[in-house]
Amino acid sequence: LAVLAAGCGAERASAPGDGRLVLATTTSTYDSGLLDHIVPDFEAKYEATVQVIAVGTGQAIKTAENGDADVILVHARAKEDKFVAEGYGVDRRDVMYNDFVILGARSDPAGIEGMTDAAAALAKIAKAGASFASRGDESGTHAKELEIWQRAGIVPAGDWYMSLGQGMGATLTVANEKGAYTLADRGTYLSREGDLDLQVMVEGDPLLFNPYGVIRVSPEKWPEVNTELAAKFVEWLTSVETQEKIAAYQHSSGVPLFYPDSERWKAAQKD
């Protein structure tokens, strides 16, 4: 499993039939360790090399729109649907889900611990002027954060609001150092929990649901993509076997980091 820098478009990393697949994906699938857990199976089965561009969802989609990826695995449904509608992507499929949580230092200066209304919690943070670390990177997590602020009727601004332009792992590090609140996907938080003094303050709001989808880059838009291997990747990722492996990827406490959600997985549960 190789990790590439974003924007590798000057020279494509894969081409049809060469056994290399470029996957543009969110930092959460990489930072959580999920890709290291499942992708070697795909590489072995198809004698392939998967090269990962781990960035925010917005940047992953832009990378694919530029023809610099073969397939994307992301979590921002409105952006995913737009990507497909504009002809850049084909065959979007549900893969898995987890949820977002609002994290904070144990001192909890805004007094939000235990709340289940995410928008009300952010409103309390803003009113208190308590430090908040935002990814600020057009990722799926950032899009969800902005959606919650909008639901709260607040445009966050001021010294208390830190827009970092960083991935989830780096944002957690800053929030930890500053004692700030932040929004994170639960999977990445659990994978880093032992290194952090942050704890879950707000969870359980349906607004915090976090589904992931996989989409092949359209060969009509970019004929040079490795569409055959991308199609195999989509089939493999949504197969019951791989979905079971996603389900088995757990935190040391036994809590799953992601929950399988493909159509074939759901059909198999009914049998």
Side-chain angles (χ1 to χ4, degrees):
L1 189 66
V3 181
L4 301 173
C8 57
E11 186 174 325
R12 269 199 60 82
S14 70
D18 74 356
R20 287 177 291 170
L21 182 78
V22 178
L23 167 66
T25 187
T26 77
T27 58
S28 58
T29 61
Y30 181 71
D31 288 347
S32 65
L34 177 69
L35 296 182
D36 286 324
H37 176 68
I38 64 172
V39 168
D41 287 355
F42 176 81
E43 292 180 318
K45 182 174 183 177
Y46 291 104
E47 297 182 346
T49 299
V50 176
Q51 297 177 310
V52 175
I53 303 174
V55 288
T57 284
Q59 185 59 48
I61 289 174
K62 287 178 183 176
T63 298
E65 287 175 347
N66 291 335
D68 294 331
D70 303 304
V71 64
I72 61 174
L73 174 59
V74 292
H75 63 138
R77 187 57 190 264
K79 292 183 178 181
E80 295 168 42
D81 290 344
K82 183 172 181 284
F83 178 73
V84 173
E86 292 180 350
Y88 292 103
V90 294
D91 193 25
R92 185 213 173 271
R93 300 195 199 177
D94 292 332
V95 176
M96 59 190 182
Y97 66 89
N98 60 11
D99 64 343
F100 292 106
V101 290
I102 298 175
L103 306 172
R106 297 179 192 281
S107 58
D108 188 22
I112 65 168
E113 185 174 5
M115 293 180 68
T116 56
D117 184 327
L122 291 196
K124 286 191 72 173
I125 292 170
K127 185 175 181 180
S131 296
F132 187 95
S134 169
R135 283 182 57 168
D137 63 349
E138 298 185 15
S139 61
T141 304
H142 183 216
K144 176 59 69 173
E145 180 213 321
L146 294 178
E147 180 185 352
I148 301 170
W149 284 118
Q150 185 177 33
R151 188 74 62 91
I154 294 170
V155 178
D159 293 342
W160 60 275
Y161 185 76
M162 298 176 283
S163 184
L164 303 176
Q166 297 288 333
M168 195 70 259
T171 300
L172 285 172
T173 297
V174 171
N176 192 58
E177 291 172 351
K178 303 289 187 182
Y181 295 100
T182 194
L183 180 74
D185 70 280
R186 192 185 294 269
T188 304
Y189 167 65
L190 288 175
S191 70
R192 291 279 311 277
E193 186 180 15
D195 304 323
L196 302 171
D197 291 325
L198 302 173
Q199 61 185 33
V200 175
M201 293 287 166
V202 179
E203 61 184 336
D205 187 332
L207 185 58
L208 297 175
F209 180 65
N210 182 29
Y212 289 74
V214 65
I215 313 172
R216 289 191 289 118
V217 175
S218 171
E220 292 187 8
K221 184 73 74 170
W222 292 105
E224 62 269 39
V225 299
N226 197 337
T227 192
E228 181 180 346
L229 195 57
K232 290 177 179 177
F233 182 82
V234 170
E235 292 296 325
W236 167 84
L237 186 60
T238 57
S239 70
V240 172
E241 181 181 8
T242 303
Q243 294 278 295
E244 288 175 344
K245 199 168 181 67
I246 291 170
Y249 187 58
Q250 299 179 340
H251 183 252
S252 58
S253 65
V255 176
L257 273 66
F258 300 91
Y259 294 86
D261 197 39
S262 78
E263 291 301 322
R264 278 184 286 173
W265 165 264
K266 288 184 283 191
Q269 306 317 299
K270 297 175 183 177
D271 294 341

